[in-house]
């Protein structure tokens, strides 16, 4: 078995190569926008029909752009059109996809990675370019394990070129141990596990508040320098959240044994399905990076020989993890759970985490090897007399 990982490599092009890469990105973006405009106007998302309708005109318009990159732009446009048209069919707000600088997805025919020699070959409007690479130790460690190379995305951000390379690395075989741990992800407590572990740091919330106050102050000023500061601040906030999610997912994975099933809630569309009282609660909900946290948790769990699965989140916070009684007023406050039926009292997030684990077991979740199952509530399962 094998899994795919994405590593980020920084490119160090010469001034001539940088100019060629920028022009390649510009023409590729024009192709992307042209295909999107046609697909949006004709409500078309089929890749073959989009190709027949746009390919010849784009090749004539951009003769220096390699044909494979024209096709890559069309494929990117097809993905974008499929997403927005699906949103439109569900009655959601949707508009024509458009990009100011669309990243280029290279394949085996348009790029060649020579990591040991420290360069990558990229197709461009100026022909094949040999661009020097700057590989950090983390990326080098993954490259040393890689058994195959897949696609790579060329990204230009804040004056630097990056290559996001998808590599195939050997998978750690999942051998189920029978342990099941539920994880309740939230806003007040970033993560609580059913094995009585609480993760996250209080200072994270205060740092977020400080960033928000600074952003609000800069927005009120509205000067050119304030807008420049806002752009820098946006990147800083994103890096901070990404670092928090990396730390959080690593601590969760390290707290369980290999072979454990980690159960989380499927929080798709949570922003539209839930109502938060108060301006701060709504702001925190809309800035919550739960999808990024789950993605980090999934690949780190796979590297440790664990598995991440999702369950329906409904009523996990309202049900009693002891007797199963469900009532909205069981959760007396953000952190206090008190069952109206049996009187069981527990931290509300921990109660939800236990419900998440039990809901997975009740739905038929069973490791392939069978054996006793544990939700982390006790060290050993009960033995038959």
């Amino acid at each position: 078995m094998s899994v795919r990982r994405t590593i980020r490599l920084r490119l160090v092009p010469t001034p001539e190569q940088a100019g060629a890469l920028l022009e390649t990105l510009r023409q590729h973006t024009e192709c992307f926008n042209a295909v999107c405009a046609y697909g949006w106007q004709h409500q078309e998302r089929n890749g073959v029909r989009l190709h027949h309708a746009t390919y010849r005109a784009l090749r004539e318009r951009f003769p220096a752009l390699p044909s494979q990159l024209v096709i890559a732009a069309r494929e990117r446009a097809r993905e974008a059109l499929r997403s927005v048209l699906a949103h439109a069919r569900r009655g959601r707000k949707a508009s024509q996809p458009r990009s100011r600088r669309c990243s280029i997805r290279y394949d085996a025919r348009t790029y060649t990675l020579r990591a040991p020699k420290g360069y990558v070959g990229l197709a461009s409007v100026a022909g094949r370019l040999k661009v020097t690479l700057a590989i950090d130790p983390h990326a080098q460690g993954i490259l040393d394990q890689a058994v195959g190379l897949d696609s790579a995305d060329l990204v230009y951000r804040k004056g630097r070129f990056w290559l996001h390379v998808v590599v195939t690395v050997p998978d750690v075989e999942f051998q189920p141990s029978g342990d099941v741990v539920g994880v309740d992800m939230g806003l007040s407590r970033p993560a609580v596990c059913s094995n009585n572990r609480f993760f996250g740091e209080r200072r994270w919330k205060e740092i977020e508040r400080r960033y928000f106050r600074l952003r609000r102050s800069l927005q009120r000023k509205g000067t050119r320098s304030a807008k420049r500061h806002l752009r820098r601040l946006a990147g800083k906030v994103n890096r901070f959240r990404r670092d928090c999610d990396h730390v959080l997912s690593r601590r969760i994975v390290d707290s369980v044994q290999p072979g454990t099933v980690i159960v989380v809630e499927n929080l798709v569309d949570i922003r539209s399905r839930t109502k938060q009282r108060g301006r701060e609660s709504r702001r925190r909900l809309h800035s919550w990076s739960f999808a990024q946290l789950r993605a980090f948790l999934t690949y780190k769990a796979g590297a440790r020989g664990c598995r991440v699965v999702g369950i329906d989140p409904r009523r996990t916070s309202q049900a009693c993890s002891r007797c199963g009684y469900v009532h909205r007023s069981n959760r007396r406050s953000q952190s206090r759970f008190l069952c109206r039926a049996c009187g069981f009292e527990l931290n509300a997030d921990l109660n939800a985490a236990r419900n998440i684990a039990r809901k997975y077991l009740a739905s038929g979740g069973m490791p392939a090897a069978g054996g006793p199952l544990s939700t982390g509530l006790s060290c050993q399962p009960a033995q038959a007399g």
Side-chain angles (χ1 to χ4, degrees):
M1 294 290 292
S2 59
V3 294
R4 290 182 174 181
R5 294 281 302 277
T6 301
I7 56 174
R8 201 171 65 148
L9 307 178
R10 186 164 65 88
L11 303 183
V12 190
T14 64
E16 293 77 13
Q17 290 175 336
L21 291 176
L22 283 174
E23 179 61 20
T24 305
L25 281 167
R26 187 192 70 80
Q27 294 189 21
H28 178 268
T29 303
E30 291 289 337
C31 292
F32 170 85
N33 289 332
V35 177
C36 286
Y38 176 88
W40 181 257
Q41 181 181 357
H42 295 84
Q43 296 293 289
E44 182 60 74
R45 59 176 182 164
N46 180 273
V48 175
R49 289 192 285 270
L50 287 171
H51 177 82
H52 289 314
T54 61
Y55 177 74
R56 290 186 179 276
L58 291 176
R59 287 292 291 145
E60 293 175 0
R61 183 179 171 187
F62 303 106
L65 188 66
S67 60
Q68 204 60 34
L69 298 189
V70 176
I71 294 174
R74 186 261 303 158
E75 183 61 19
R76 271 291 174 90
R78 181 193 65 80
E79 294 172 359
L81 287 165
R82 176 166 292 186
S83 176
V84 298
L85 291 177
H87 273 69
R89 284 197 305 275
R90 290 195 289 266
R92 298 180 183 174
K93 185 178 179 180
S95 59
Q96 176 185 322
R98 184 170 179 80
S99 175
R100 289 184 293 178
R101 185 175 284 120
C102 180
S103 60
I104 302 175
R105 181 166 297 163
Y106 286 91
D107 58 19
R109 289 166 288 188
T110 50
Y111 95 105
T112 307
L113 182 64
R114 294 287 184 260
K117 297 182 179 180
Y119 75 89
V120 62
L122 297 173
S124 73
V125 294
R128 200 84 166 191
L129 302 177
K130 282 187 177 182
V131 184
T132 304
L133 291 169
I135 306 177
D136 61 80
H138 174 71
Q140 186 62 58
I142 298 177
L143 282 173
D144 292 340
Q145 304 174 33
V147 295
L149 294 175
D150 296 290
S151 63
D153 286 8
L154 176 66
V155 179
Y156 181 74
R157 183 176 295 124
K158 295 185 178 179
R160 288 187 174 184
F161 290 95
W162 299 88
L163 196 66
H164 296 186
V165 184
V166 181
V167 298
T168 302
V169 296
D171 188 16
V172 177
E173 184 180 358
F174 175 68
Q175 297 179 343
S177 64
D179 291 335
V180 177
V181 173
V183 180
D184 178 63
M185 297 186 291
L187 296 173
S188 295
R189 294 185 181 272
V192 179
C193 293
S194 59
N195 56 4
N196 302 337
R197 301 291 299 273
F198 292 73
F199 298 98
E201 299 182 18
R202 290 184 177 180
R203 65 182 182 90
W204 291 352
K205 190 184 297 185
E206 180 52 39
I207 292 173
E208 286 273 7
R209 289 197 187 104
R210 189 166 68 245
Y211 282 146
F212 170 71
R213 290 194 295 265
L214 177 57
R215 183 168 59 245
R216 184 171 56 184
S217 174
L218 291 170
Q219 288 171 339
R220 285 174 178 170
K221 287 184 178 180
T223 61
R224 294 180 63 182
S225 61
K227 292 177 180 178
R228 286 197 299 269
H229 195 168
L230 277 170
R231 286 193 292 269
R232 291 195 298 270
L233 183 63
K236 192 173 184 179
V237 171
N238 289 335
R239 289 191 297 273
F240 169 73
R241 289 174 179 163
R242 188 178 183 88
D243 180 69
C244 291
D245 289 340
H246 271 302
V247 171
L248 197 59
S249 57
R250 172 53 58 196
R251 290 177 181 175
I252 293 172
V253 171
D254 288 346
S255 72
V256 301
Q257 296 299 317
T260 300
V261 177
I262 301 174
V263 190
V264 298
E265 296 173 302
N266 289 325
L267 299 177
V268 180
D269 298 332
I270 189 172
R271 293 183 178 91
S272 59
R273 289 189 291 104
T274 61
K275 293 182 180 180
Q276 292 290 325
R277 294 181 178 178
R279 184 176 299 176
E280 182 178 356
S281 295
R282 290 194 296 271
R283 173 178 58 80
R284 293 178 60 200
L285 176 66
H286 284 272
S287 63
W288 186 18
S289 56
F290 60 87
Q292 177 174 263
L293 174 59
R294 178 170 177 176
F296 291 169
L297 185 63
T298 299
Y299 86 78
K300 289 177 183 178
R304 187 171 169 81
C306 301
R307 179 174 294 170
V308 175
V309 298
I311 57 101
D312 188 342
R314 285 177 290 186
R315 297 183 177 84
T316 54
S317 296
Q318 301 173 6
C320 176
S321 59
R322 172 180 285 179
C323 69
Y325 177 71
V326 179
H327 198 279
R328 291 184 64 181
S329 61
N330 278 350
R331 186 163 186 167
R332 300 302 174 90
S333 66
Q334 191 283 321
S335 60
R336 183 176 179 233
F337 181 91
L338 179 61
C339 181
R340 293 167 59 94
C342 69
F344 178 63
E345 186 172 0
L346 191 66
N347 177 275
D349 295 324
L350 179 57
N351 177 77
R354 294 182 180 182
N355 284 331
I356 290 169
R358 289 197 168 111
K359 197 168 189 178
Y360 168 74
L361 297 176
S363 66
M366 179 74 70
L373 293 173
S374 170
T375 60
L377 307 185
S378 60
C379 296
Q380 296 291 337
Q383 298 294 325

